[in-house]
Amino acid sequence: MPPSAPPASVPDQQQREQLARARELHWQRARRFTLLLLALWLATGFCTVYFARALAHLTLFGWPLSFYMAAQGASLVYLAIIGGYAIRMRRLDREYARAAGEIA
């Protein structure tokens, strides 16, 4: 009869709790950052249009600020939001993977 394989390492209760805490911290940070970016997106998209008349008397490079934000500024802010999200989430995922590796 061939020798049986050694039993797989089963994480004990303390390791599972540490992993659950690390996972909860990861998702808490991810949700908080996502809400911050959504608020920035709302401020850029909605508030610029809503306050367009008030922003019209301010000029940027010879154009009314409301026109500039609608034509160029909002697109640049959206790109910054996407880039910031990708960079921050990559960092958060690496931190979580490192913490999970240390626990296991």
Side-chain angles (χ1 to χ4, degrees):
M1 179 170 240
S4 61
S9 165
V10 177
D12 63 352
Q13 184 65 26
Q14 183 181 9
Q15 286 177 329
R16 284 190 295 239
E17 289 173 1
Q18 288 175 341
L19 188 58
R21 281 193 299 269
R23 186 180 312 121
E24 180 61 33
L25 180 63
H26 173 265
W27 284 111
Q28 180 184 16
R29 288 177 178 172
R31 282 189 306 261
R32 188 180 310 141
F33 187 64
T34 301
L35 287 175
L36 173 72
L37 292 180
L38 284 173
L40 181 61
W41 174 67
L42 175 69
T44 303
F46 176 74
C47 294
T48 303
V49 174
Y50 188 76
F51 295 109
R53 288 185 185 159
L55 295 173
H57 73 281
L58 300 172
T59 59
L60 184 65
F61 303 119
W63 294 91
L65 183 60
S66 59
F67 174 79
Y68 179 77
M69 284 301 295
Q72 300 295 326
S75 299
L76 295 175
V77 171
Y78 297 155
L79 286 174
I81 287 173
I82 292 168
Y85 180 80
I87 291 168
R88 179 67 177 153
M89 289 307 296
R90 184 178 307 133
R91 187 177 306 141
L92 281 175
D93 289 343
R94 285 180 184 162
E95 288 175 10
Y96 173 70
R98 188 177 310 120
E102 290 173 0
I103 292 169

